[in-house]
Amino acid sequence: MSKPGRSQEPERHLEASGPRTGGSQAPPAGGQAGGRAGGRATGWPPGGSRVPRGSRPRRAAEGRAAEGGEPGTPRRGRVRAWPAAGRQGRGRTAMERVEAATLEEGMRLRVIFLILMGVILAVAASDVLTGAVGVLRETRARPLTPAEQARYIQEEIAARWHTWSADLIFPTELQYVALGRAQQYARRVGLAPETSCKAGLDAPVGSVLAEHGCLTLLRATYVDQTSTFVVTVGVAVLGSEERRSAATGQLPVDDRVGVRPVAFPGTAGELFGAAQRQRNSWIAAGPYVVFSTAGYADGRTREAIPPEEILHSELWPTAQSIAGRIARALGDEPSAVPQCTQGNVC
C-alpha cells in the first residue's frame, strides 16, 4: 500500500518543471499548488536525487538573470591567450636580443677598426714628417765637404767622354811643341765611329781592357802641319780611375801593339795602315787610357825604316805631344768646383 503524499509529489514537480522552460503556464489545481506554496523552503531537487539534463540550461539562465544579464543570453567565458601568440612573443624577444648582440659586436669591431686606422695614420704621418725633415736637411744649401768635392771632380771627369762634343775631345787643330821648342800644329783629318775596345785595339791590349770593363773606344786621325807624319789617337773609356789603374798595370810592354790606325781616303793619312805603324804608346788620364800610333804619310812600313832613323826623327815626339794634349784635356780638374750643395751660395 502506498504512502499518501510521497509517491505522487515528485511526479507533480517533474510535470511542473517541464513546461516552465517553454514559457508561462497556468498553475496546477487545488492541493498541488497549496502544498507547494506551503511546503518546504529548501531548494529543489532534494539531496541525493538526479537532475534531468534539460533543467541545467534553465538554472544557468536564471543565474545570469539574477546577476543582471538578460535571460537566455549565454555567459561569456574568460579569453585565453592563443598558445601561438606566446611563442611568437618569445621568438620576437629572442630576435631582438640577437639583433642587439649583433649591433653591439658591430660597434665593438668598428671601434677597434677606428683605433687601428688611427694608429696607422699616426705612424704614417710620423714617417712622412721624418722624411720631410730629412729631405729638407739634404736639400738645403750647405758647404761641400772635401770628400764630396773630390767625388764631384771624379764624376765630372768620368762623364766627359759623352758630355763633351767630339770637337772638345778631338780638337780640329792642336798646338804642340816640336824639337827645338818650335810651336807646331796638328790638323784633324777624320773621326772614326765609336767602337769596342776589342775591335779598335790589338788583341793583347783589347782583351786586358775588356776584362776590366772598358766601355768604348773613341778614335781620330791627325797629320802634322807639313803632312809628313800621321797619328791616330784612341781614347779607351774605363768606368772609374780604379779600373783604369788595374787595367794599365796589366798592359803588355810592347811598342808594336796598341790602337789600330784609321785611314781616311782623300786626306794626307789615306795610306796609314797597320803595316805603316812605326811605334805605339799610351798615357793614363783619370778613367781614360789615351793610345797613340804614328807613321809616315808616304806609306813607308816599319820594316822599311832603319831603327836609328826612328830614334832621331820628329815622328815620335809629335805623336806623344798630340796624345798628351788630348789626355790632359780629358783628365784635368774642372776650373770651377761648387762650394755648396746648391751652387756657390750656402
Side-chain angles (χ1 to χ4, degrees):
M1 184 173 182
S2 60
K3 297 180 179 181
R6 181 172 180 87
S7 60
Q8 296 176 1
E9 185 68 18
E11 293 178 0
R12 287 196 303 268
H13 282 284
L14 289 176
E15 291 175 358
S17 63
R20 195 180 302 174
T21 58
S24 60
Q25 194 173 358
Q32 293 180 355
R36 186 175 182 183
R40 301 183 302 271
T42 59
W44 181 262
S49 64
R50 298 177 59 88
V51 179
R53 293 183 179 179
S55 63
R56 292 185 179 179
R58 181 185 181 95
R59 294 187 61 189
E62 292 176 353
R64 285 193 296 271
E67 292 175 0
E70 297 179 359
T73 303
R75 185 178 60 181
R76 294 182 181 179
R78 291 185 179 180
V79 179
R80 297 181 59 188
W82 188 255
R87 288 195 298 270
Q88 183 177 3
R90 289 194 297 271
R92 186 176 303 169
T93 305
M95 290 179 61
E96 291 176 355
R97 287 198 298 268
V98 171
E99 291 177 357
T102 304
L103 180 61
E104 183 179 357
E105 181 68 15
M107 294 296 294
R108 187 174 64 85
L109 293 177
R110 183 176 181 182
V111 170
I112 294 174
F113 173 76
L114 292 177
I115 292 174
L116 289 177
M117 289 300 298
V119 172
I120 293 172
L121 291 176
V123 172
S126 177
D127 292 342
V128 170
L129 182 60
T130 303
V133 172
V135 169
L136 289 176
R137 290 179 178 176
E138 290 295 329
T139 57
R140 68 179 181 180
R142 61 173 179 80
L144 288 174
T145 64
E148 290 173 336
Q149 290 182 342
R151 185 169 63 251
Y152 171 84
I153 294 172
Q154 292 177 357
E155 292 175 354
E156 199 274 338
I157 292 174
R160 286 175 180 174
W161 71 273
H162 64 83
T163 57
W164 282 10
S165 65
D167 291 340
L168 281 177
I169 299 174
F170 299 113
T172 56
E173 189 175 82
L174 279 174
Q175 183 180 6
Y176 65 94
V177 178
L179 292 177
R181 311 291 298 177
Q183 294 291 327
Q184 299 289 334
Y185 292 90
R187 179 171 48 89
R188 190 186 72 193
V189 296
L191 288 168
E194 184 178 339
T195 186
S196 64
C197 291
K198 282 189 174 182
L201 299 169
D202 294 320
V205 179
S207 60
V208 172
L209 294 184
E211 290 177 359
H212 290 84
C214 184
L215 301 177
T216 189
L217 181 69
L218 311 176
R219 291 180 296 175
T221 298
Y222 289 85
V223 297
D224 69 332
Q225 62 186 15
T226 63
S227 296
T228 303
F229 310 129
V230 183
V231 180
T232 294
V233 180
V235 178
V237 181
L238 280 298
S240 63
E241 189 170 352
E242 290 77 13
R243 291 184 179 180
R244 188 273 308 162
S245 179
T248 53
Q250 298 180 10
L251 289 177
V253 182
D254 188 354
D255 64 355
R256 294 173 298 177
V257 294
V259 64
R260 292 175 179 174
V262 183
F264 293 92
T267 66
E270 61 181 352
L271 300 177
F272 188 45
Q276 285 73 37
R277 291 185 298 177
Q278 302 297 321
R279 296 185 67 177
N280 295 273
S281 183
W282 58 267
I283 181 173
Y288 308 106
V289 182
V290 181
F291 293 91
S292 63
T293 183
Y296 293 98
D298 57 9
R300 285 180 289 175
T301 63
R302 183 184 176 97
E303 289 77 11
I305 305 298
E308 60 273 10
E309 183 178 347
I310 294 296
L311 291 176
H312 298 89
S313 173
E314 293 185 6
L315 173 65
W316 194 236
T318 299
Q320 288 181 319
S321 296
I322 294 173
R325 285 292 305 273
I326 293 174
R328 283 193 298 272
L330 284 172
D332 280 349
E333 293 187 1
S335 58
V337 178
Q339 302 299 313
C340 303
T341 55
Q342 295 182 359
N344 293 321
V345 179
C346 298

